[in-house]
Amino acid sequence: MTSVTANLEQVWSRIHRAAQRVGRDPAQITLVAVAKRHPASAIRALAAAGHVDFAESYAQEADTKLRTLDDLGHLRWHFIGRLQRNKTAMVAQRFDWVHGIDRAVLAERLSAQRPSDRGPLQVCLQVDFTGGQEGRSGVAPQSLPALAEQVASLPQLHLRGLMTLPPPESEFERQREHFRHLEELRQELNHRGFGLDVLSAGMSGDLEAAVAEGATHVRIGTALFGARPAS
Ligand SMILES: *Cc1c(COP(=O)(O)O)cnc(C)c1O
């Protein structure tokens, strides 16, 4: 067994334990393997073990890497990085999911550029609880309902849920706070009639806290592929 497939088993057992602790079904959790700055060969190794969901963060890198993986036709691609306006066409064409929508203009471009034969792009809105500290992207909680209205009205997007990228936090109870807040916002939007079924939350260092608060998609890089090479 190669180390990535051993890591895959370990991450799944973490997910199982975290789900069991709160009485959740682990089958309702999607493990998204974050491959940014790792070579295409690492993706191939995980795909060979049957893994399907992969994420990239940098549009230029993703464009090059995905071309070399075209033969692996059954993979699902998630874009989780900060999206620039001039990169939306590539993402609309090649990806299945975009987790980090925080401005209507990005959503409008993605919808207009989505090839009709690919079906709607699955999207999440990124929420920022830090007030933009450390240059974090994401929409402020108070602006979320208006953005959700705009995104939900776009024909080639399917608004699925919310995503957040909290500041690093080592203590479990503190880790849970942002995720709990995200889940509360999802429920508020659902009371307004949005049928959001996705909570994209949790990374290598805090996946247990995210699962405890209802994460449906955990985005895991380091625990699967090891430390990222410097850019
Ligand atoms: C890099 C990244 C991850 C993965 O982080 P790890 O700590 O390596 O698991 C998850 N989500 C986003 C948005 C990222 O940019």
Side-chain angles (χ1 to χ4, degrees), residues 51-65:
H51 194 74
V52 171
D53 287 273
F54 290 90
E56 292 287 345
S57 293
Y58 308 110
Q60 191 63 56
E61 175 191 332
D63 192 17
T64 312
K65 217 189 278 181

Side-chain angles (χ1 to χ4, degrees), residues 35 37-38 40 43 56 61-69:
R37 302 220 295 266
H38 290 287
I43 295 173
E56 292 287 345
E61 175 191 332
D63 192 17
T64 312
K65 217 189 278 181
L66 265 64
R67 283 173 205 277
T68 75
L69 294 165

Side-chain angles (χ1 to χ4, degrees), residues 2-24:
T2 66
S3 67
V4 274
T5 53
N7 292 346
L8 181 64
E9 283 196 4
Q10 267 175 19
V11 171
W12 268 121
S13 69
R14 284 176 64 186
I15 293 170
H16 277 251
R17 279 196 303 271
Q20 259 160 15
R21 235 174 269 139
V22 292
R24 292 188 61 202

Side-chain angles (χ1 to χ4, degrees), residues 4-231:
V4 274
T5 53
N7 292 346
L8 181 64
E9 283 196 4
Q10 267 175 19
V11 171
W12 268 121
S13 69
R14 284 176 64 186
I15 293 170
H16 277 251
R17 279 196 303 271
Q20 259 160 15
R21 235 174 269 139
V22 292
R24 292 188 61 202
D25 177 4
Q28 289 175 350
I29 298 166
T30 300
L31 169 54
V32 180
V34 180
K36 66 181 180 218
R37 302 220 295 266
H38 290 287
S41 56
I43 295 173
R44 283 191 185 277
L46 220 52
H51 194 74
V52 171
D53 287 273
F54 290 90
E56 292 287 345
S57 293
Y58 308 110
Q60 191 63 56
E61 175 191 332
D63 192 17
T64 312
K65 217 189 278 181
L66 265 64
R67 283 173 205 277
T68 75
L69 294 165
D70 264 346
D71 56 304
L72 299 177
H74 62 290
L75 302 185
R76 241 184 332 259
W77 289 102
H78 301 251
F79 192 83
I80 62 170
R82 185 189 292 260
L83 188 52
Q84 281 155 356
R85 290 171 65 128
N86 62 350
K87 296 294 194 317
T88 52
M90 186 282 292
V91 170
Q93 284 159 22
R94 303 200 70 107
F95 281 77
D96 302 290
W97 283 73
V98 177
H99 291 232
I101 305 277
D102 63 356
R103 284 174 290 158
V105 61
L106 292 177
E108 284 157 8
R109 289 177 68 91
L110 288 168
S111 181
Q113 292 165 336
R114 180 68 168 172
S116 53
D117 63 345
R118 293 222 47 201
L121 189 62
Q122 311 297 305
V123 301
C124 295
L125 305 181
Q126 182 170 353
V127 182
D128 172 45
F129 298 112
T130 70
Q133 273 171 44
E134 303 162 48
R136 272 168 203 281
S137 41
V139 61
Q142 64 271 22
S143 308
L144 185 60
L147 181 61
E149 289 284 355
Q150 286 171 300
V151 172
S153 73
L154 294 167
Q156 292 296 338
L157 302 188
H158 184 184
L159 178 57
R160 295 292 300 274
L162 304 180
M163 178 268 216
T164 197
L165 185 61
E169 179 64 65
S170 56
E171 211 230 309
F172 185 69
E173 287 305 323
R174 299 282 305 272
Q175 289 176 349
R176 286 181 72 154
E177 285 171 15
H178 284 101
F179 300 138
R180 185 176 309 139
H181 197 171
L182 192 70
E183 170 62 7
E184 285 164 6
L185 291 172
R186 186 181 74 87
Q187 288 175 13
E188 280 172 30
L189 288 174
N190 283 351
H191 286 141
R192 294 172 185 242
F194 296 93
L196 304 185
D197 63 345
V198 166
L199 209 64
S200 170
M203 313 198 292
S204 294
D206 56 15
L207 79 85
E208 285 83 0
V211 168
E213 296 298 341
T216 62
H217 289 63
V218 293
R219 310 177 310 266
I220 309 298
T222 310
L224 286 171
F225 296 115
R228 281 180 282 281
S231 53

